[in-house]
Amino acid sequence: MTSENWYDVTTYPVGNPYEDIGAIINSIIADIKSRQAVPDQNEGGKPGAVIYIPPGDYRLVTQVVIDVSYLKIVGSGHGFTSSSIRFNTPADELAQWREVWPGGSRIRVDMSPDAADGEAAGAAFYVKRTGNPRISSVEFADFCIDGLHFMDDGSGQNDAENTYRNGKTGIYVGSANDSFRITGMGLIYLEHGVTVHDADALAIDNNFIAECGNCIELKGMGQASRIANNFVGAGYRGHSVYAENYGGILVSSNNVFPRGASSVYFSGVVRSSITGNRFHSFYPGMLVFAANCCENLVSSNHFLRDREPWAPMQKYDNGLDDLFGLLHIDGSNNSVIANHISETIDTQYIKPLDAKPVIINVVSGSGNYIANNHIVATTDMSQINDAPNSACFSTQVGALLSTDNLKVLEVTAVLVQRDSVRNTVLDSGRVEQVEMDRTVNAFRGTPVPGQWSAEFHQTEHS
């Protein structure tokens, strides 16, 4: 038996979903509200609904506005494929491709937002409701939101499809919310993938959010949210994962692709955990704690910083030099424990030239605990790459797997700035690799094979 609270956009009797799925979904939401108008009827009355999007290409011209709880919009496939490779492939090669656009249950965002109207104006899905209680339990699952194209940014590069600018957002939540779920989605070629304000118990799990200017942004304030098991990768101007004024975030088991200005950027975030992730970046500033982030745990992650190997994107970076640090910490009582951090780069690409790259940079705050981090810094001569632009996969994997003929790169493993005191740094760099005022901070260097440590010698004879 078909439920009256189950809708299929292709069979709904109003409009044409292939021409404007946004208008269809708005009409469905209006129908839900008209049928579920009583807040309390026999201890129920507003169960919400499911809106189903079958596989297909659906144009979205009208913004979807969601102001009802318990709504699930679900498709049958995230349909992600790389548009970046597609737009950087010569036309003669592209003519031989088996497919050139994302697929699955795909929404083509064909809006033309005006930047003056604000970020929300460019959202395919705009969620906002005033009054009490907060809007709750809205779910997005298993479909694709495709921004189609980026736009020229006036920089003179004549490279519109690599600007990561188009004013479009996939999902924008503009009011306080509870228990939202975003799962199994594919978001691509949007200036902003997912932006959520004032979230409580938000779960962003198992999505493919990449080739977006910014991927996941938690704004305003919030708590107790989870970002886990995602494939994420922002552009060189934006953040793969960004959060401000949140507490109790779990960032776990994500695979974060390179090219984002940062892998994770926290501003004023407290008592949160970043654990078990794989972070890859082409630039410094992979993990940034800004605006006094406190009591956060960063543990058991793998960080890799190397140089962009793919020719079409080598002219871009995030504007930071190698003295900024791969991990940049502004805050107090954070724990950075048992991470593996690799940096491998040809010395000619270090900025400033001949500088000693900084791996962990503690710029302010106190009481940070940095311990048992394994830092591997190497350099090798970059190879001339004459692979075609379409060979992005083989180019990047080849660079990733290259570990032969590497030489040690001299780095500052940990730098504790003068404005930061009462920190503890243990086994995260040799004595000569750690720069700090040891009269106001605690330090123990990583033991060096074949060298008898005076510290251990004193302990043995005490």
Side-chain angles (χ1 to χ4, degrees), residues 273-353:
S273 297
I274 302 172
T275 57
N277 301 279
R278 182 261 184 177
F279 298 125
H280 185 189
S281 180
F282 295 140
Y283 323 120
M286 297 179 68
L287 171 69
V288 177
F289 283 180
N292 196 31
C293 291
C294 295
E295 298 179 42
N296 298 293
L297 171 66
V298 181
S299 183
S300 302
N301 302 286
H302 190 289
F303 294 86
L304 169 63
R305 190 263 161 134
D306 56 10
R307 182 173 183 261
E308 168 73 75
W310 192 38
M313 301 302 294
Q314 286 181 338
K315 59 186 175 182
Y316 300 107
D317 63 30
N318 67 353
L320 298 175
D321 66 32
D322 289 284
L323 299 179
F324 185 82
L326 298 187
L327 285 68
H328 187 91
I329 309 297
D330 170 2
S332 298
N333 300 312
N334 300 290
S335 295
V336 181
I337 305 170
N339 299 282
H340 182 105
I341 307 173
S342 293
E343 171 156 357
T344 181
I345 189 168
D346 190 328
T347 55
Q348 67 177 307
Y349 299 114
I350 293 173
K351 297 187 300 184
L353 192 63

